[in-house]
């Protein structure tokens, strides 16, 4: 039986561990934290991410928890439309999912074939010719035919195998929260939750997770919002951070103030936005008869402006699982590298273009941006959406 060690039980690691186990691999999933715990936020999945989850055999689980996300357009802080909402064909419509629901679906996908070991922080990787790949935490060595590094942005394995790559700040921080369904404000009938508002270095996006239990027993429901602001994360406690957000977004179009008001400080998750520069030169490393691959944020951490990080992690997982079903292990590792690097590079390029627009500051630059946004942004977005949608799992 072929064996794999997957390092990191985030979205990417759990998706690939379950897929390999369902294909008959013996899988050990190593997680540094003492418990595998999802963030209490949500995630937008574009058609490529949805397709990848279906290719991984998780379509039914996803259907039970996903809420379609219609295009809500883009407004300026004064309420003027930069980009009017447009009807989206069903096959191009993203969905929004509570991360705890997605986590449950991925855990269910692990079945009982994956050995999950928590409290194991991998510190070393062995990738030398003639020996099977292995990782270690200083106490134990875990050897397998395949090592999947899904250990996130600060990947220790990537640091050792692709030292040319560094993690840098993207110059902004993000705050996210889900207002649970039982505390979600009732909005007037003519007010939509969905949509994006863009100011000078500030951005606010909101989406409805629907009613609890509308699509499936496990759906949590509520309203998800994410606010991004140029600068570093704030050191203050959550209630002060929320007060700051209320000040920064005061006077922005409804329902932003209402949503911030309905948010409990304990629900707010703050995060510095970071990315990899440059991307690693390789995503697959042949080692003896097996190999090591980088997957998810470990391979291509990027700012979340196009909502593609998790989608690409699922693409990585579906590609790797598909290749491993079709080919010998060394060929699958080479194929993974060949398919995933250009794909990630394209999405990172699109994301960086979007970052430049989103983080525009200064009056003149802002006027130019607003003028340009009306024409550029739909084009940029549809190029990004087309690039995202174009992905197909390997047959
Ligand atoms: C504000 C924000 C909004 C976002 N919104 C979206 C969105 O709408 N759509 C989307 O597609 N993406 C979005 N993303 C991106 C998405 O969250 C990430 O790309 C995705 O979660 C990456 O998953 P991962 O499994 O690769 O890494 P992670 O989720 O970081 O998981 C890595 C795991 O590895 C573990 N680990 C780390 N080091 C070690 C070690 N040495 N040994 C063992 N275990 C280790 C960690 O504890 C963790 O559990 C967003 C990101 C942010 C910051």
């Amino acid at each position: 039986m072929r064996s794999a060690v997957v390092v990191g039980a985030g979205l990417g690691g759990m998706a690939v561990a379950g897929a390999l186990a369902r294909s008959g691999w013996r899988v050990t999933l190593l997680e540094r934290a003492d418990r595998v715990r999802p963030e209490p936020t949500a995630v937008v999945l574009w058609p490529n991410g949805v397709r990848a989850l279906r290719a991984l055999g998780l379509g039914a689980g996803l259907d039970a928890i996903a809420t379609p996300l219609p295009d809500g357009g883009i407004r300026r802080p004064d309420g003027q439309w930069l980009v009017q909402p447009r009807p989206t064909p069903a096959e191009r419509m993203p969905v929004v999912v509570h991360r705890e629901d997605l986590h449950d679906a991925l855990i269910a996908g692990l079945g009982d074939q994956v050995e999950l070991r928590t409290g194991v922080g991998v510190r070393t990787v062995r990738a030398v010719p003639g020996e099977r790949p292995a990782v270690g935490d200083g106490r134990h060595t875990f050897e397998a035919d395949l090592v999947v590094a899904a250990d996130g942005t600060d990947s220790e394995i990537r640091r050792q195998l692709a030292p040319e790559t560094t993690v840098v700040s993207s110059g902004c921080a993000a705050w996210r929260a889900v207002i649970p369904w039982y505390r979600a404000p009732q909005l007037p009938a003519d007010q939509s939750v969905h949509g994006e508002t863009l100011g000078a270095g500030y951005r606010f996006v909101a989406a409805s997770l629907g009613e609890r239990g509308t699509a499936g027993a496990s759906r949590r429901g509520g309203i998800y919002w994410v606010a991004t602001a140029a600068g570093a994360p704030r050191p203050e406690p959550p209630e002060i951070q929320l007060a700051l957000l209320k000040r920064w977004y005061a006077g922005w179009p409804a329902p932003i103030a209402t949503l911030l008001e309905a948010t409990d400080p304990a629900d707010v998750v703050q995060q510095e936005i970071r990315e990899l520069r440059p991307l690693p030169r390789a995503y697959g490393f042949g080692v003896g008869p097996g190999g090591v691959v980088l997957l998810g944020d470990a391979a291509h951490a990027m700012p979340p402006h196009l909502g593609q990080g998790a989608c690409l992690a699922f693409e990585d997982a579906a590609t790797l699982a598909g290749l491993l079903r079709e080919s010998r292990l060394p060929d699958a590792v080479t194929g993974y590298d060949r398919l995933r690097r250009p794909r990630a590079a394209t999405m990172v390029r699109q994301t960086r273009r979007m970052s430049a627009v989103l983080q525009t500051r200064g009056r003149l630059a802002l006027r130019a941006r607003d003028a340009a946004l009306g024409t550029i942004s739909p084009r940029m977005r549809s190029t990004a959406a087309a690039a995202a949608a174009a992905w197909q799992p390997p047959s």
Side-chain angles (χ1 to χ4, degrees), residues 146-162:
L146 173 69
V147 168
V148 181
D151 47 348
T153 307
D154 295 305
S155 170
E156 188 54 47
I157 299 179
R158 185 200 61 240
R159 204 178 60 72
Q160 293 176 38
L161 296 186

PDB file of all heavy atoms in Angstrom, residues 146-162:
ATOM      1  N   LEU A 146       5.255   9.552  -0.184  1.00  0.00           N
ATOM      2  CA  LEU A 146       4.970  10.929  -0.593  1.00  0.00           C
ATOM      3  C   LEU A 146       4.800  11.799   0.642  1.00  0.00           C
ATOM      4  O   LEU A 146       4.098  11.409   1.586  1.00  0.00           O
ATOM      5  CB  LEU A 146       3.661  10.941  -1.406  1.00  0.00           C
ATOM      6  CG  LEU A 146       3.102  12.309  -1.791  1.00  0.00           C
ATOM      7  CD1 LEU A 146       4.002  12.989  -2.826  1.00  0.00           C
ATOM      8  CD2 LEU A 146       1.679  12.174  -2.349  1.00  0.00           C
ATOM      9  N   VAL A 147       5.444  12.973   0.624  1.00  0.00           N
ATOM     10  CA  VAL A 147       5.203  13.970   1.673  1.00  0.00           C
ATOM     11  C   VAL A 147       4.495  15.152   1.023  1.00  0.00           C
ATOM     12  O   VAL A 147       4.956  15.669   0.002  1.00  0.00           O
ATOM     13  CB  VAL A 147       6.524  14.441   2.336  1.00  0.00           C
ATOM     14  CG1 VAL A 147       6.289  15.678   3.204  1.00  0.00           C
ATOM     15  CG2 VAL A 147       7.116  13.320   3.189  1.00  0.00           C
ATOM     16  N   VAL A 148       3.359  15.555   1.596  1.00  0.00           N
ATOM     17  CA  VAL A 148       2.645  16.735   1.099  1.00  0.00           C
ATOM     18  C   VAL A 148       2.812  17.842   2.134  1.00  0.00           C
ATOM     19  O   VAL A 148       2.363  17.695   3.276  1.00  0.00           O
ATOM     20  CB  VAL A 148       1.141  16.439   0.885  1.00  0.00           C
ATOM     21  CG1 VAL A 148       0.440  17.683   0.346  1.00  0.00           C
ATOM     22  CG2 VAL A 148       0.942  15.262  -0.066  1.00  0.00           C
ATOM     23  N   ALA A 149       3.467  18.932   1.727  1.00  0.00           N
ATOM     24  CA  ALA A 149       3.639  20.066   2.636  1.00  0.00           C
ATOM     25  C   ALA A 149       2.445  20.985   2.462  1.00  0.00           C
ATOM     26  O   ALA A 149       2.358  21.743   1.500  1.00  0.00           O
ATOM     27  CB  ALA A 149       4.934  20.807   2.311  1.00  0.00           C
ATOM     28  N   ALA A 150       1.483  20.881   3.394  1.00  0.00           N
ATOM     29  CA  ALA A 150       0.300  21.754   3.376  1.00  0.00           C
ATOM     30  C   ALA A 150       0.315  22.562   4.666  1.00  0.00           C
ATOM     31  O   ALA A 150      -0.701  22.740   5.324  1.00  0.00           O
ATOM     32  CB  ALA A 150      -0.967  20.912   3.263  1.00  0.00           C
ATOM     33  N   ASP A 151       1.526  23.033   5.021  1.00  0.00           N
ATOM     34  CA  ASP A 151       1.703  23.664   6.332  1.00  0.00           C
ATOM     35  C   ASP A 151       1.639  25.184   6.274  1.00  0.00           C
ATOM     36  O   ASP A 151       2.210  25.867   7.121  1.00  0.00           O
ATOM     37  CB  ASP A 151       2.994  23.163   7.016  1.00  0.00           C
ATOM     38  CG  ASP A 151       4.214  23.162   6.103  1.00  0.00           C
ATOM     39  OD1 ASP A 151       4.037  23.336   4.885  1.00  0.00           O
ATOM     40  OD2 ASP A 151       5.340  22.986   6.602  1.00  0.00           O
ATOM     41  N   GLY A 152       0.925  25.705   5.280  1.00  0.00           N
ATOM     42  CA  GLY A 152       0.566  27.121   5.298  1.00  0.00           C
ATOM     43  C   GLY A 152       1.675  28.083   4.919  1.00  0.00           C
ATOM     44  O   GLY A 152       2.772  27.694   4.505  1.00  0.00           O
ATOM     45  N   THR A 153       1.371  29.357   5.070  1.00  0.00           N
ATOM     46  CA  THR A 153       2.258  30.437   4.601  1.00  0.00           C
ATOM     47  C   THR A 153       3.669  30.318   5.177  1.00  0.00           C
ATOM     48  O   THR A 153       4.650  30.579   4.482  1.00  0.00           O
ATOM     49  CB  THR A 153       1.642  31.797   5.014  1.00  0.00           C
ATOM     50  OG1 THR A 153       0.294  31.831   4.536  1.00  0.00           O
ATOM     51  CG2 THR A 153       2.410  32.970   4.437  1.00  0.00           C
ATOM     52  N   ASP A 154       3.776  29.957   6.450  1.00  0.00           N
ATOM     53  CA  ASP A 154       5.103  29.894   7.085  1.00  0.00           C
ATOM     54  C   ASP A 154       5.716  28.503   6.980  1.00  0.00           C
ATOM     55  O   ASP A 154       6.557  28.132   7.815  1.00  0.00           O
ATOM     56  CB  ASP A 154       4.990  30.307   8.556  1.00  0.00           C
ATOM     57  CG  ASP A 154       4.579  31.758   8.687  1.00  0.00           C
ATOM     58  OD1 ASP A 154       5.268  32.617   8.106  1.00  0.00           O
ATOM     59  OD2 ASP A 154       3.548  32.040   9.329  1.00  0.00           O
ATOM     60  N   SER A 155       5.334  27.763   5.962  1.00  0.00           N
ATOM     61  CA  SER A 155       5.778  26.379   5.781  1.00  0.00           C
ATOM     62  C   SER A 155       7.262  26.168   6.079  1.00  0.00           C
ATOM     63  O   SER A 155       8.139  26.791   5.465  1.00  0.00           O
ATOM     64  CB  SER A 155       5.493  25.953   4.336  1.00  0.00           C
ATOM     65  OG  SER A 155       6.121  24.715   4.066  1.00  0.00           O
ATOM     66  N   GLU A 156       7.502  25.277   7.013  1.00  0.00           N
ATOM     67  CA  GLU A 156       8.875  24.939   7.371  1.00  0.00           C
ATOM     68  C   GLU A 156       9.502  24.107   6.242  1.00  0.00           C
ATOM     69  O   GLU A 156      10.692  24.250   5.924  1.00  0.00           O
ATOM     70  CB  GLU A 156       8.850  24.146   8.688  1.00  0.00           C
ATOM     71  CG  GLU A 156      10.185  23.872   9.321  1.00  0.00           C
ATOM     72  CD  GLU A 156      11.019  25.122   9.536  1.00  0.00           C
ATOM     73  OE1 GLU A 156      10.485  26.130  10.040  1.00  0.00           O
ATOM     74  OE2 GLU A 156      12.229  25.076   9.190  1.00  0.00           O
ATOM     75  N   ILE A 157       8.672  23.271   5.638  1.00  0.00           N
ATOM     76  CA  ILE A 157       9.194  22.402   4.566  1.00  0.00           C
ATOM     77  C   ILE A 157       9.603  23.254   3.363  1.00  0.00           C
ATOM     78  O   ILE A 157      10.660  23.062   2.773  1.00  0.00           O
ATOM     79  CB  ILE A 157       8.140  21.339   4.183  1.00  0.00           C
ATOM     80  CG1 ILE A 157       7.847  20.472   5.412  1.00  0.00           C
ATOM     81  CG2 ILE A 157       8.611  20.503   3.006  1.00  0.00           C
ATOM     82  CD1 ILE A 157       6.815  19.395   5.198  1.00  0.00           C
ATOM     83  N   ARG A 158       8.747  24.247   3.019  1.00  0.00           N
ATOM     84  CA  ARG A 158       9.111  25.120   1.895  1.00  0.00           C
ATOM     85  C   ARG A 158      10.382  25.905   2.212  1.00  0.00           C
ATOM     86  O   ARG A 158      11.243  26.104   1.359  1.00  0.00           O
ATOM     87  CB  ARG A 158       7.966  26.094   1.579  1.00  0.00           C
ATOM     88  CG  ARG A 158       8.255  26.943   0.334  1.00  0.00           C
ATOM     89  CD  ARG A 158       7.423  28.201   0.282  1.00  0.00           C
ATOM     90  NE  ARG A 158       7.673  29.072   1.401  1.00  0.00           N
ATOM     91  CZ  ARG A 158       6.751  29.454   2.280  1.00  0.00           C
ATOM     92  NH1 ARG A 158       5.510  29.068   2.167  1.00  0.00           N
ATOM     93  NH2 ARG A 158       7.077  30.229   3.304  1.00  0.00           N
ATOM     94  N   ARG A 159      10.490  26.334   3.446  1.00  0.00           N
ATOM     95  CA  ARG A 159      11.679  27.113   3.838  1.00  0.00           C
ATOM     96  C   ARG A 159      12.942  26.305   3.562  1.00  0.00           C
ATOM     97  O   ARG A 159      13.947  26.856   3.113  1.00  0.00           O
ATOM     98  CB  ARG A 159      11.591  27.480   5.328  1.00  0.00           C
ATOM     99  CG  ARG A 159      12.391  28.712   5.718  1.00  0.00           C
ATOM    100  CD  ARG A 159      12.222  29.044   7.184  1.00  0.00           C
ATOM    101  NE  ARG A 159      12.658  27.963   8.071  1.00  0.00           N
ATOM    102  CZ  ARG A 159      13.923  27.618   8.283  1.00  0.00           C
ATOM    103  NH1 ARG A 159      14.890  28.274   7.693  1.00  0.00           N
ATOM    104  NH2 ARG A 159      14.222  26.612   9.086  1.00  0.00           N
ATOM    105  N   GLN A 160      12.870  24.987   3.758  1.00  0.00           N
ATOM    106  CA  GLN A 160      14.059  24.160   3.554  1.00  0.00           C
ATOM    107  C   GLN A 160      14.244  23.759   2.087  1.00  0.00           C
ATOM    108  O   GLN A 160      15.369  23.678   1.607  1.00  0.00           O
ATOM    109  CB  GLN A 160      13.982  22.923   4.443  1.00  0.00           C
ATOM    110  CG  GLN A 160      14.094  23.314   5.921  1.00  0.00           C
ATOM    111  CD  GLN A 160      13.930  22.138   6.883  1.00  0.00           C
ATOM    112  OE1 GLN A 160      14.388  21.039   6.621  1.00  0.00           O
ATOM    113  NE2 GLN A 160      13.268  22.388   7.994  1.00  0.00           N
ATOM    114  N   LEU A 161      13.143  23.533   1.366  1.00  0.00           N
ATOM    115  CA  LEU A 161      13.277  23.052  -0.019  1.00  0.00           C
ATOM    116  C   LEU A 161      13.272  24.183  -1.056  1.00  0.00           C
ATOM    117  O   LEU A 161      13.744  23.997  -2.171  1.00  0.00           O
ATOM    118  CB  LEU A 161      12.148  22.068  -0.351  1.00  0.00           C
ATOM    119  CG  LEU A 161      12.121  20.775   0.454  1.00  0.00           C
ATOM    120  CD1 LEU A 161      11.045  19.841  -0.070  1.00  0.00           C
ATOM    121  CD2 LEU A 161      13.476  20.073   0.414  1.00  0.00           C
ATOM    122  N   ALA A 162      12.696  25.322  -0.694  1.00  0.00           N
ATOM    123  CA  ALA A 162      12.649  26.447  -1.651  1.00  0.00           C
ATOM    124  C   ALA A 162      13.081  27.720  -0.928  1.00  0.00           C
ATOM    125  O   ALA A 162      12.289  28.644  -0.737  1.00  0.00           O
ATOM    126  CB  ALA A 162      11.237  26.585  -2.217  1.00  0.00           C
TER     127      ALA A 162
END
